[in-house]
């Protein structure tokens, strides 16, 4: 991979993040979807919380629960930026439009928890990444473009 991966499943991420990041520009913490202690700790360490939401009602409900927990974390760390993104969308359906509307109607006190423009579609090539390939090592140009657009959009948030 073009970056280091460190297993750090611990409830002290909010205290350990600087040491884990070291001299690297960015630190990405991937947490479980549920709002367990490790997730709360990671939220507390974050500058940006990115919540991927797939096109299922269960993900939408989970997103609402996560946003409620983020409300509590932002009470202590108000500078944290929260963004939503649509992932695993089915190509050729109206589901992205429907999910965009549903996400805009979420009952949240987070005025800046808006939706990123980039949509990540459910592509077969993503399944190949489980075999150790990065998306850029597959032949799927559309997937590469989506992930590149997502990276650019995220990096532009800090400018």
């Amino acid at each position: 991979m073009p970056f280091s991966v460190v297993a750090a499943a611990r409830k002290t991420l909010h205290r350990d993040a600087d040491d884990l990041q070291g001299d690297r520009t960015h630190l990405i913490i991937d947490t479980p979807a549920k709002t367990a202690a490790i997730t709360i700790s990671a939220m507390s360490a974050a500058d940006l919380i990115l919540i991927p939401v797939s096109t299922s009602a269960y993900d939408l409900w989970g997103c609402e629960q996560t946003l409620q927990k983020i409300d509590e974390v932002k009470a202590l760390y108000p500078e944290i930026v929260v963004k939503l993104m649509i992932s695993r969308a089915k190509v050729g359906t109206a589901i992205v439009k429907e999910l965009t509307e549903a996400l805009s109607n979420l009952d949240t006190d987070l005025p800046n928890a808006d939706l990123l423009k980039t949509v990540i579609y459910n592509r077969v090539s993503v399944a190949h990444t489980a075999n150790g390939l990065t998306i850029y090592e597959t032949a799927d140009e559309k997937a590469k473009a989506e992930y590149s657009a997502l990276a650019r959009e995220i990096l532009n948030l800090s400018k």
Side-chain angles (χ1 to χ4, degrees):
M1 289 193 211
F3 52 85
S4 301
V5 176
V6 178
R10 50 187 157 209
K11 299 173 189 175
T12 58
L13 285 169
H14 61 289
R15 292 192 306 258
D16 303 339
D18 288 340
D19 289 337
L20 290 169
Q21 183 169 350
D23 60 354
R24 296 170 193 86
T25 306
H26 301 284
L27 173 65
I28 299 171
I29 303 171
D30 186 12
T31 65
K34 56 188 170 194
T35 53
I38 189 170
T39 305
I40 305 301
S41 182
M43 287 178 187
S44 300
D47 296 320
L48 168 67
I49 298 173
L50 180 62
I51 304 170
V53 184
S54 75
T55 55
S56 79
Y58 295 111
D59 249 26
L60 190 58
W61 295 330
C63 177
E64 284 184 291
Q65 291 176 345
T66 301
L67 289 171
Q68 289 168 0
K69 199 50 81 172
I70 290 171
D71 279 340
E72 297 172 22
V73 173
K74 278 190 70 87
L76 298 171
Y77 304 98
E79 68 282 354
I80 297 172
V81 175
V82 180
K83 298 294 178 184
L84 308 172
M85 64 165 284
I86 296 175
S87 68
R88 296 187 293 186
K90 189 170 181 183
V91 177
T93 66
I95 196 72
V96 171
K97 182 180 179 205
E98 294 169 16
L99 185 56
T100 299
E101 289 173 12
L103 288 170
S104 67
N105 292 324
L106 287 179
D107 183 23
T108 177
D109 293 330
L110 298 171
N112 296 320
D114 55 347
L115 185 62
L116 294 179
K117 293 176 185 170
T118 305
V119 174
I120 302 297
Y121 287 90
N122 193 10
R123 301 186 183 280
V124 173
S125 59
V126 175
H128 294 294
T129 62
N131 296 331
L133 295 176
T134 69
I135 200 66
Y136 299 102
E137 294 171 314
T138 69
D140 190 338
E141 295 303 320
K142 289 181 180 180
K144 291 177 194 178
E146 289 166 10
Y147 280 89
S148 293
L150 178 62
R152 281 191 304 276
E153 191 171 2
I154 291 169
L155 289 171
N156 284 333
L157 293 174
S158 61
K159 291 182 181 178

